Amino acid sequence: HNQASSTKRRPRRFTMCLCCFDDGPTDDDPYGARSNQFKTGMKDAPCKDPLACLGGCPFGCICCMNCYMRHKVLEGDMDKYLCCQGYYDKACIKGGGCGDQGNPCCLFCEGLCCASCALSSTRMYVMDKFNLSSDPCDRRIIRFNNFMQLLSCVCNILACFIPELREAAQSIQFI
């Protein structure tokens, strides 16, 4: 026996790159100072409801999961449905102003074509409805996503001048 094999081995702990990002709310975060918390934190959600997490992952059906979750938070009342629940009125079409209100076809198109906005608007709707604070893990994921979008943009610009970076830029976009 060598000394390494006879000693008790500690389990390895892997740290995700998300840990590099701050989990505190920003000064202008309207959800950061609320007192109510989600019943299940985001870091515990995959274990609490693995099928929902698998359905929403890139290998599942993000569109269907977006539609299902929005329908669920609206408690089945499609009359409450608006495009992105009106949270992106300044960036896109004004919710309720283009025949989208209560229209399940518009919900499907939103879930398919604007998956990230559909997900974010459902999140904000739930947080507003129950006066919930943003989750620390959620804030890390949002910051990681913002970082990756910026990195993708920089790599795409650099790839215009350095052709060898095109594959790296495409890989970052896929993430």
Side-chain angles (χ1 to χ4, degrees):
H1 289 311
N2 67 24
Q3 190 175 5
S5 65
S6 64
T7 59
K8 187 175 178 180
R9 293 183 66 160
R10 291 183 176 173
R12 292 183 181 172
R13 294 185 179 152
F14 296 98
T15 306
M16 293 176 48
C17 60
L18 291 176
C19 294
C20 298
F21 297 92
D22 183 29
D23 65 357
T26 58
D27 293 337
D28 60 345
D29 182 1
Y31 303 103
R34 294 180 177 179
S35 59
N36 295 335
Q37 300 290 320
F38 283 94
K39 288 179 185 176
T40 303
M42 185 164 288
K43 67 180 176 65
D44 299 322
C47 294
K48 296 282 184 177
D49 194 356
L51 291 178
C53 290
L54 287 173
C57 77
F59 305 110
C61 184
I62 294 170
C63 170
C64 295
M65 189 54 66
N66 275 337
C67 294
Y68 168 76
M69 290 308 296
R70 180 71 61 78
H71 190 264
K72 184 176 178 176
V73 302
L74 295 175
E75 299 168 342
D77 185 359
M78 283 301 292
D79 289 338
K80 295 180 188 174
Y81 171 75
L82 298 172
C83 181
C84 293
Q85 290 310 113
Y87 287 102
Y88 293 97
D89 282 353
K90 295 178 184 171
C92 194
I93 299 169
K94 183 173 171 57
C98 60
D100 60 321
Q101 187 168 4
N103 188 334
C105 292
C106 289
L107 172 59
F108 179 79
C109 289
E110 175 190 325
L112 180 66
C113 300
C114 308
S116 62
C117 291
L119 178 69
S120 293
S121 59
T122 300
R123 170 189 168 269
M124 290 184 286
Y125 180 80
V126 169
M127 291 172 74
D128 285 339
K129 182 177 179 179
F130 297 106
N131 197 32
L132 297 170
S133 176
S134 54
D135 183 79
C137 185
D138 191 25
R139 291 189 289 260
R140 280 188 174 150
I141 290 171
I142 290 169
R143 288 178 178 134
F144 174 75
N145 184 47
N146 292 344
F147 170 77
M148 292 304 289
Q149 287 179 22
L150 180 62
L151 183 62
S152 173
C153 182
V154 169
C155 284
N156 278 308
I157 291 169
L158 290 175
C160 293
F161 305 104
I162 307 168
E164 293 81 20
L165 288 178
R166 285 190 184 130
E167 286 184 28
Q170 290 174 345
S171 297
I172 293 168
Q173 284 179 327
F174 180 72
I175 294 172

